[in-house]
Amino acid sequence: MKIKLKISKAVFNKAYLPFLYAATRTQIFFGGSSSGKSVFLAQRAVLDVAQGRRNYLITRKVARTIRASVFNEINKTIRRFKLTEYFNVNKSDMVITCVNGYQILFAGLDDVEKVKSITPQKGVITDVWVEEATETERNDIKQLQKRLRGLSKTGKRLTLSFNPIIQTHWIYTEYFGGWDDSKNLYQDEDLLILRTTYRDNKF
């Protein structure tokens, strides 16, 4: 089933629009809690699934924190986009399924075995989004990268989002080697890093 989408660009913050369909393998969005990064990533996930392009696995370090954060944000986005008739929301299992068969799945990294066994009902997981990624360990991310396997028409993406980071954190050591702190964007063939602040959030 193809869904007719009529989403105005006005619902997005301008700073994020260039990355709505960014295909870079690893993407990092970081900045203050009012910068709008989580809202944008929720918007992108809902659009991708509604367009039948991608299946998402959305995670946080602790499973019990998911419902009150990213799960609620995805649901709010579905309502804002007036797409509720096209999505079935299983609140107990935290599984959101579009009428086209594509899904948004949620899991905590405190149950690694559960993450290993997660499989969408159609196709493969193409996107892993780790919210509050600074709570995770390096091995958590390595396990998630293993979930990005299998054939798909679209490229696989790992997206990390978090608040400002200290330079001793493993994420900074792992990904910020080419980062210029005087700029807000770094991008190469395999890595995208965007820094935003409350000034980028018109809402």
Side-chain angles (χ1 to χ4, degrees):
M1 179 179 182
K2 192 164 184 177
I3 300 171
K4 292 183 179 179
L5 295 170
K6 294 181 179 179
I7 310 296
S8 169
K9 286 185 178 181
V11 304
F12 300 97
N13 280 308
K14 186 177 179 181
Y16 297 102
L17 264 177
F19 312 105
L20 191 57
Y21 296 106
T24 312
R25 173 77 179 196
T26 302
Q27 302 184 20
I28 292 175
F29 294 85
F30 79 105
S33 58
S34 299
S35 61
K37 58 189 181 298
S38 297
V39 172
F40 165 70
L41 292 172
Q43 290 174 326
R44 187 168 78 167
V46 170
L47 284 179
D48 280 338
V49 172
Q51 290 170 336
R53 301 176 69 247
R54 297 177 175 275
N55 284 305
Y56 274 73
L57 170 60
I58 301 178
T59 72
R60 285 190 66 168
K61 180 64 177 178
V62 181
R64 61 179 170 75
T65 63
I66 292 174
R67 189 178 302 275
S69 56
V70 277
F71 184 74
N72 282 346
E73 196 61 62
I74 292 288
N75 278 289
K76 285 193 290 185
T77 300
I78 291 170
R79 292 194 295 271
R80 288 191 198 110
F81 285 176
K82 296 180 171 40
L83 295 174
T84 51
E85 65 182 295
Y86 300 111
F87 284 89
N88 175 60
V89 178
N90 184 322
K91 293 182 179 179
S92 58
D93 293 335
M94 285 195 296
V95 173
I96 298 175
T97 305
C98 186
V99 292
N100 59 22
Y102 288 83
Q103 293 180 301
I104 303 174
L105 311 170
F106 299 82
L109 297 177
D110 47 354
D111 189 350
V112 177
E113 293 306 313
K114 183 178 180 181
V115 172
K116 288 180 181 178
S117 65
I118 288 177
T119 304
Q121 67 179 15
K122 180 178 181 178
V124 299
I125 292 171
T126 61
D127 282 72
V128 173
W129 168 19
V130 187
E131 173 74 323
E132 303 296 350
T134 46
E135 298 173 352
T136 66
E137 305 294 333
R138 181 182 275 104
N139 191 56
D140 295 330
I141 304 303
K142 288 182 178 179
Q143 289 297 324
L144 290 172
Q145 288 171 328
K146 292 178 182 179
R147 299 298 299 123
L148 293 172
R149 61 178 184 264
L151 297 175
S152 67
K153 295 179 181 178
T154 54
K156 309 296 179 58
R157 297 185 304 198
L158 170 68
T159 300
L160 310 179
S161 60
F162 47 85
N163 290 334
I165 190 172
I166 58 174
Q167 294 187 6
T168 55
H169 196 282
W170 76 264
I171 289 179
Y172 194 94
T173 305
E174 185 88 6
Y175 296 108
F176 282 69
W179 176 255
D180 181 347
D181 206 47
S182 68
K183 300 178 181 178
N184 292 320
L185 176 65
Y186 173 84
Q187 192 166 16
D188 62 30
E189 186 176 340
D190 301 310
L191 177 64
L192 159 68
I193 303 176
L194 178 69
R195 175 173 58 191
T196 50
T197 71
Y198 71 92
R199 294 184 180 90
D200 297 300
N201 188 355
K202 67 180 179 181
F203 303 107

